[in-house]
Amino acid sequence: VEQYSTVRALREAVQSARRAGKAVGFVPTMGYLHAGHLALCAAARRENEFVVTSIFVNPLQFAPNEDFDRYPRDLVRDLGMLQTAGVDAVFTPSVTEMYPEATQTVVSVPALSQTLEGKTRPTHFQGVATVVLKLLQIVRPDTVYFGQKDGQQVAVVRRLVRDLSVPVTVRVVPTVREPDGLALSSRNVYLEGADRIRARRLSQSLSQARSLLEAGERSGPTVQAELERLLTEDPDIRLDYAAVVNADTLVPLSHIAGPTMLAVAAYVGPARLLDNLMLDVSERAVRDLLPPL
Ligand code: PAF
């Protein structure tokens, strides 16, 4: 894998791939890679002749009180994993390469950004939307890959791509889980001992909520209350939210139908964890919204 740390060098590499007629797939990341990122790289590898990954811990999406400084980083390990994954180019800009001056221009998708995560992280998605558009302008891929785990981020990115007519296809790849169900996240390194075991409860609650839907329940408030009850059964889990929303608009559903996201966020020890299920719900059936890989 070739490493490029300037916008100019990365653009030249992508341009020469493009001149050779190669389709370009792009996987934006903040590094500290795990099997979830590798699933995105594998999808990109299958569907494109030239695969670019970026590793950039984007300060714009962290609030001053958040974990920007202690966000886990291990570039040497990441490069080894990308090499094994068959990625062609990795873009590793510094903060000053990406933001030589404090950025004036920002991208915001207000309705999708203020709900769920936005209640505790009011500036987060503006930072995500801004860096994603900027990375898409730098790389200019045909297809960009995101993980389902950050479900609200998926909704925000899809909307910004539609609203601003960005010429890219957005592909969403199902969440990769530990054997006990815990969704993979770089922040899982903050979990130790009893907290790691406790963290299972997020995915377990979501599975139980799915079973309720499969048994015919279609009331959003009922499913939400059940998620809240299951999560707070453990007094050492501090629930932030449990929500039953339309997967595209993130509007809460009173009657569950169509593209649905069951989303939970909770503090387990020092970690704030997220998980979700994306389902396609009809009167008679409950299916996964995303095709399996
Ligand atoms: O999902 C992430 O890792 C980040 O939010 C992203 C998309 C790389 C933007 O910084």
Side-chain angles (χ1 to χ4, degrees), residues 6-290:
T6 65
V7 171
R8 189 182 165 152
L10 188 277
R11 276 196 169 134
E12 277 168 11
V14 176
Q15 268 159 19
S16 75
R18 209 174 262 305
R19 273 196 298 273
K22 297 181 175 177
V24 178
F26 175 43
V27 181
T29 83
M30 298 204 301
Y32 212 71
L33 304 177
H34 52 63
H37 298 109
L38 296 183
L40 302 179
C41 293
R45 186 68 286 170
R46 267 198 305 280
E47 298 171 2
N48 304 274
E49 287 82 45
F50 193 76
V51 176
V52 182
T53 298
S54 62
I55 296 178
F56 179 62
V57 184
N58 170 40
L60 282 192
Q61 71 191 72
F62 290 80
N65 62 328
E66 291 180 352
D67 57 350
F68 176 73
D69 289 325
R70 65 186 185 105
Y71 193 84
R73 293 164 170 90
D74 190 342
L75 185 59
V76 173
R77 181 170 149 277
D78 288 349
L79 292 175
M81 290 168 82
L82 294 175
Q83 175 75 34
T84 309
V87 165
D88 298 292
V90 55
F91 181 45
T92 54
S94 64
V95 172
T96 43
E97 178 69 13
M98 283 293 274
Y99 303 113
E101 326 164 75
T103 190
Q104 274 286 309
T105 310
V106 291
V107 180
S108 75
V109 190
L112 295 177
S113 301
Q114 282 157 12
T115 176
L116 306 176
E117 289 299 287
K119 296 210 170 118
T120 42
R121 311 184 72 192
T123 57
H124 174 66
F125 288 109
Q126 179 171 299
V128 170
T130 303
V131 82
V132 166
L133 183 59
K134 190 170 167 75
L135 289 166
L136 290 174
Q137 299 283 33
I138 293 168
V139 180
R140 307 256 223 121
D142 298 287
T143 308
V144 63
Y145 296 80
F146 289 93
Q148 176 201 325
K149 210 214 103 212
D150 296 302
Q152 187 170 4
Q153 170 168 284
V154 165
V156 167
V157 169
R158 284 198 153 130
R159 184 66 197 244
L160 106 80
V161 163
R162 279 211 309 280
D163 282 350
L164 299 180
S165 305
V166 183
V168 70
T169 300
V170 178
R171 286 262 285 128
V172 182
V173 174
T175 302
V176 178
R177 298 178 178 282
E178 298 282 4
D180 71 351
L182 178 68
L184 294 195
S185 161
S186 304
R187 289 189 170 99
N188 289 352
V189 293
Y190 302 147
L191 291 169
E192 280 171 6
D195 287 331
R196 169 62 189 83
I197 295 167
R198 200 164 270 136
R200 289 177 192 163
R201 194 174 276 270
L202 275 79
S203 60
Q204 283 170 349
S205 309
L206 288 166
S207 307
Q208 284 174 258
R210 181 187 183 134
S211 303
L212 264 184
L213 282 167
E214 282 165 351
E217 182 59 62
R218 290 292 180 272
S219 157
T222 301
V223 174
Q224 180 188 345
E226 184 59 7
L227 277 169
E228 287 168 357
R229 187 186 71 74
L230 290 164
L231 282 161
T232 53
E233 259 173 8
D234 183 334
D236 291 319
I237 291 183
R238 188 156 66 82
L239 178 67
D240 186 349
Y241 60 79
V244 180
V245 298
N246 176 288
D248 300 320
T249 64
L250 307 181
V251 171
L253 295 170
S254 49
H255 178 79
I256 302 173
T260 300
M261 180 163 74
L262 311 183
V264 297
Y267 295 88
V268 180
R272 183 168 181 284
L273 301 179
L274 303 183
D275 201 352
N276 72 72
L277 292 181
M278 288 192 187
L279 304 171
D280 179 19
V281 182
S282 66
E283 276 313 308
R284 308 185 52 182
V286 178
R287 296 192 188 82
D288 287 315
L289 193 57
L290 301 173

